[in-house]
Amino acid sequence: MIENGLYDSFGRLIRDLRISITDRCNFRCLYCLPETEEAADFFRSPTRDNEPKPITRSWKPRSHFLTYEEIARVVNVLAKMGIHKIRLTGGEPLLRKDVPELVRKMCCISGIQDIALTTNGFSFKSQASELLKSGLKRVTFSLDSLDRGNFKRLTGRDGLKQLIEAINYAKELGFSKIKINAVIIRGLNDHEIESLADYARDQNLIIRFIEFMPLDSGRSWQRDHVMTGLEILNRLKERFVLEPLGLEHTASTAKRWRFCDGKGEIGLIMPVSEPFCGQCNRIRITADGKLRTCLFSHNEHDLKTIIRNNTDDNGLALWLREVVMKKEKGHQIGQKQFQQPERTMSAIGG
Ligand code: SAM
Ligand code: SF4
């Protein structure tokens, strides 16, 4: 029973799990936790009749978080059902204590082939070698600007230097396939598209440009903030000769290109302009133990209660199957009926 693949009602096989290990963050990215004056100013810009709404976020008490033992138990069951890829995220995952301990636990689980971490990099250096030793192979850093002032405006933190040092250190230590995520927002960092691509190419990093999604805590997202993947690609094509690459795998979220000399890779993640819901093979667990079947779900499922009720592995597997059958067909961004979920990106885990 447990060993059968985990399918949803649309026939999608779930293989990829994102685990948020904390909802806390030491950054205030304008597209995620826009709680700075700069963010308010940007969203209040005179060309947009859009007064920022008051922020209602509050951190969950740490005591509400799933423990590492609980996370490992769920992953163990999910691995038997076909999950093979894990990404640790947050909030800022490296604000949680002893992340290497969690990675070690994951590495012991048969069937888990890939464990990755997404981080803002600020606290990476001090934990990097332990993370590598624990078995973490892949890291994605969020880097939206190479200009110190603009970086601060975007993230609320004067942390560009630390982030660049973290990336260099990850390379030095030997992490493989290091990725950069860059969210591009019109009028804010779209003038940096080419320099970000240049930087990634020079440093032998894989860069993913991501469309801004309506998951910000200020609920200030508007369609015209979004630099679409196509716009980004057209800009890049004016500067570089690019060749399309195939999908990494069938459920890949990124459309990929490489530079014609073969050095460097660019990916576009276009959830707004070209949704990839039909191929989505992901589920997510929040730090406080809710299972979410879509980034934009309005319903979440109380995993923590199930595992704290002494449910055995077969019972847990059955529950997981039932929940996954409720996975949404897709998000509805751009449609009249779209409503932003209550949980923001930082509390879901990107
Ligand atoms: N704090 C870590 C970091 O920033 O890398 C991990 C969590 S963060 C929520 C994960 C990814 O989500 C980041 O790469 C970030 O750029 C992206 N992200 C956050 N809010 C977003 C939004 N509204 N639209 C698109 N991507 C977003
Ligand atoms: Fe924090 Fe990451 Fe959100 Fe930025 S994107 S505020 S670093 S959780």
Side-chain angles (χ1 to χ4, degrees), residues 23-33 90-92 119-120 142 144 154-155 345-346:
D23 62 346
R24 281 139 215 267
C25 193
N26 46 358
F27 279 24
R28 291 292 175 275
C29 298
L30 188 145
Y31 49 75
C32 183
L33 287 172
E92 172 45 42
T119 174
N120 63 31
S142 298
D144 311 304
L154 265 149
T155 64
M345 185 62 126
S346 62

Side-chain angles (χ1 to χ4, degrees), residues 235-280:
R235 282 272 298 277
L236 290 170
K237 280 183 170 167
E238 278 174 27
R239 168 75 169 270
F240 307 104
V241 183
L242 298 173
E243 290 171 352
L245 278 169
L247 290 177
E248 228 169 349
H249 49 84
T250 49
S252 182
T253 51
K255 291 221 166 134
R256 305 184 303 149
W257 281 262
R258 69 170 178 196
F259 296 91
C260 69
D261 63 3
K263 188 186 161 212
E265 179 188 315
I266 279 173
L268 298 172
I269 302 187
M270 304 182 272
V272 177
S273 66
E274 270 187 51
F276 35 80
C277 306
Q279 285 77 46
C280 179

